[in-house]
């Protein structure tokens, strides 16, 4: 008997504190596919789904619904969410009405939020459950930066997250998710699921799964637990802390074979271990001037990590907080900084290469974090802003900064993009013709991937204590929801772990 499985994706990470609203254009710029167009995807999470469903000895027929992916940003607009949700639901509804719906397999992020739904994935899974009923299994794959909510647990059968950060295993996670669906439908798995949440809100600087850092140790424990016969799957989470939602935290999610008590106990164990790592997850930070002074005293290239303005965490990428200190070094010290500024990029395209023009730079897309800086700049390069990702979740896919420009002011090369893009391995600088090896200071606006991008030319990385919607520490973020008690504000708590089941 053939099993009919509906497949879809809604992948975006959102930020409650800033960034540019994620509208339908944001999805169309990255990925917005419907129906049979999905079936052409052979990479990423959906590629992993199709690999399993097409190659299995069991007969599966795929019902492609919708795949909507956007660069991380501000909240998904209600209009965009309504359209994506209704498209997905109407595809599911017609499959259900044709009695051709045996399972729903969704690639989600887990930290998306719409203007009117701070738990977007919980809302979506609830709507899907409501439509398909209790007996059709729902399996969702997630980013390990997901914010797991009771609603997500209530309305899914299996949740499985990526295991790597930097993220390299979207496809492998797709394989795991589709296998879970196949195992449920063929009677090999009766999943029981629990999530242990430790109230730890930290940036991702020390959240690598490579090496032996605090989150790598947590992931290692989760994977050791997964190797037991009684356990089907485990996931470890370091929650994206730039949502403003109640009861956030990281920890462990465990799926057992029909044994809720064991799932609870093991999820608690991972979350307790993660709680013990909390102090090791807060990075050492530098003020801008301090970092530049130390950097000048150091031979070689220095990377200034301005994670507070990380497009990959939903920020607009338009901060110029570091720029005055770089300009003050004069023309003899070369440095490079990325700034998203559509107006400035457009003015450069109008002026042409070689032109000198007065620009007001930065803080225009998300003006809460600073004021534009007036500069007299010379245009040294212009491009259409397109580039190809070399690795990671978007390996081989095109990134699109929109019309882009490089301007030079004193010794600083300022890379202007029209739209924010996720940073993987320095592709944006390369596409704009920047030779980072010639720079004294490189500004990197991400909390993790800067190492991959620049370790070939620098061994000196300093994380800056700047303000923005994706800061290195969450201490000063203006949360309005009930996020406390939580680390770092409440470092000692009795019974900190909360169990969702
Ligand atoms: Zn992530």
């Amino acid at each position: 008997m053939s099993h009919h499985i509906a497949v879809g994706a809604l992948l975006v990470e959102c930020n409650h504190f800033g960034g540019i609203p994620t509208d339908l254009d944001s999805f169309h710029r990255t990925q917005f596919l419907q129906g049979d167009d999905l079936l052409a995807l052979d990479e990423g999470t959906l590629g992993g789904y199709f690999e399993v469903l097409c190659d299995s000895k069991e007969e599966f027929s795929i019902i492609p619904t919708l795949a909507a992916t956007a660069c991380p940003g501000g909240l998904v607009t209600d209009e965009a969410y309504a359209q994506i949700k209704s498209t997905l639901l109407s595809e599911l509804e017609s499959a259900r009405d044709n009695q051709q719906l045996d399972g729903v397999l969704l690639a989600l992020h887990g930290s998306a939020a719409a203007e009117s739904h701070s738990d977007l994935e919980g809302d979506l899974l609830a709507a899907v459950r409501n439509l398909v009923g209790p007996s059709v299994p729902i399996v969702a794959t997630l980013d390990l930066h997901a914010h797991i909510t009771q609603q997500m647990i209530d309305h899914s059968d299996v949740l499985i997250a990526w295991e790597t950060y930097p993220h390299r295993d979207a496809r492998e996670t797709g394989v795991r998710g589709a296998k879970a669906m196949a195992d449920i439908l063929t009677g090999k798995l009766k999943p029981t699921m629990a999530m242990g949440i430790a109230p730890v809100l930290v940036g991702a600087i020390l959240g690598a799964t490579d090496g032996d850092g605090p989150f790598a140790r947590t992931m290692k424990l989760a994977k050791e637990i997964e190797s037991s016969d009684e356990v089907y799957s485990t996931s470890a989470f370091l929650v994206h802390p730039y949502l403003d939602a109640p009861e956030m935290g990281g920890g462990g999610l465990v799926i057992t074979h029909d044994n809720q008590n064991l799932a609870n106990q093991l999820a608690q164990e991972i979350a307790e271990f993660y709680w013990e790592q909390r102090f090791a997850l807060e990075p050492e930070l530098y003020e801008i001037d301090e970092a530049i002074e130390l950097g000048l005293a150091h031979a070689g290239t220095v990377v200034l990590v301005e994670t507070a303005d990380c497009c990959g965490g939903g920020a607009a990428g338009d901060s110029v907080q570091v720029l005055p200190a770089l300009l003050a070094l004069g023309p003899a010290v070369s440095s490079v900084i990325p700034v998203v500024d559509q107006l400035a990029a457009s003015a450069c395209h109008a002026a042409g290469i070689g032109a000198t023009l007065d620009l007001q730079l930065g803080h225009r897309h998300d003006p809460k974090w600073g004021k534009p800086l007036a500069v007299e700049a010379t245009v040294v390069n212009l491009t259409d802003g397109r580039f190809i990702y070399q690795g990671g979740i978007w390996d081989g896919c095109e990134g699109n900064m929109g019309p882009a420009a490089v301007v030079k002011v004193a010794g600083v090369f300022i890379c202007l993009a029209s739209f924010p893009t996720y940073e993987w391995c320095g592709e944006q600088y390369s596409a704009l013709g920047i030779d980072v090896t010639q720079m004294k200071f490189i500004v990197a606006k991400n909390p993790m991937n800067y190492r991959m991008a620049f370790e070939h030319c620098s061994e000196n990385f300093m994380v800056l204590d700047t303000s923005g919607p994706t800061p290195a520490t969450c201490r000063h973020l203006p949360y309005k929801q009930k996020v406390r008690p939580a680390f770092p504000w409440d470092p000692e708590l009795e019974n900190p772990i909360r169990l969702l089941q």
Side-chain angles (χ1 to χ4, degrees), residues 193-243:
M193 182 158 64
M195 172 75 194
I197 294 185
V200 175
L201 294 183
V202 291
I205 299 270
L206 295 163
T209 53
D210 302 332
D212 186 38
F215 191 63
R217 294 193 287 271
T218 309
M219 185 61 77
K220 187 159 169 268
L221 172 67
K223 293 298 118 182
E224 281 166 13
I225 286 173
E226 191 180 62
S227 66
S228 153
D229 285 347
E230 296 167 283
V231 177
Y232 184 78
S233 155
T234 61
S235 300
F237 292 93
L238 188 155
V239 68
H240 172 66
Y242 312 123
L243 292 175

Side-chain angles (χ1 to χ4, degrees), residues 15-149:
N15 192 307
H16 269 111
F17 299 102
I20 300 168
T22 305
D23 57 12
L24 283 168
D25 281 349
S26 312
F27 287 101
H28 283 288
R29 248 194 333 271
T30 305
Q31 183 185 64
F32 195 92
L33 301 172
Q34 286 178 258
D36 288 346
D37 286 349
L38 267 69
L39 300 173
L41 294 171
D42 58 3
E43 286 304 324
T45 307
L46 267 60
Y49 291 170
F50 298 149
E51 179 188 318
V52 172
L53 299 179
C54 297
D55 293 353
S56 168
K57 278 185 274 178
E58 298 288 329
E59 238 183 89
F60 294 107
S61 65
I62 299 166
I63 305 159
T65 61
L66 162 108
T69 304
C71 177
L75 301 181
V76 177
T77 62
D78 281 343
E79 183 198 10
Y81 180 48
Q83 181 171 337
I84 290 165
K85 184 178 172 183
S86 71
T87 304
L88 176 67
L89 293 179
S90 70
E91 295 283 350
L92 295 178
E93 193 172 11
S94 51
R96 181 198 65 185
D97 293 349
N98 293 331
Q99 279 157 17
Q100 291 190 330
L101 187 57
D102 302 307
V104 181
L105 190 49
L106 296 174
L108 306 175
H109 183 284
S111 285
E115 287 164 327
S116 303
H117 295 283
S118 72
D119 176 13
L120 185 151
E121 284 89 351
D123 177 76
L124 187 68
L125 288 166
V128 172
R129 173 62 78 207
N130 185 41
L131 193 141
V132 303
S135 59
V136 173
I138 300 172
V139 173
T141 51
L142 303 169
D143 189 305
L144 64 76
H145 297 116
H147 163 43
I148 304 295
T149 64

Side-chain angles (χ1 to χ4, degrees), residues 78 80 99 116 150 152 223 233 256 261 360 389 402 429:
D78 281 343
Q99 279 157 17
S116 303
Q150 186 66 53
M152 290 165 71
K223 293 298 118 182
S233 155
T256 52
N261 284 342
Q360 296 285 329
Y389 283 106
Y429 280 158

Side-chain angles (χ1 to χ4, degrees), residues 13 109 143-146 162 164-165 167 312 422:
E13 182 179 77
H109 183 284
D143 189 305
L144 64 76
H145 297 116
W162 300 347
T164 59
Y165 185 55
H167 299 310
Y422 175 74

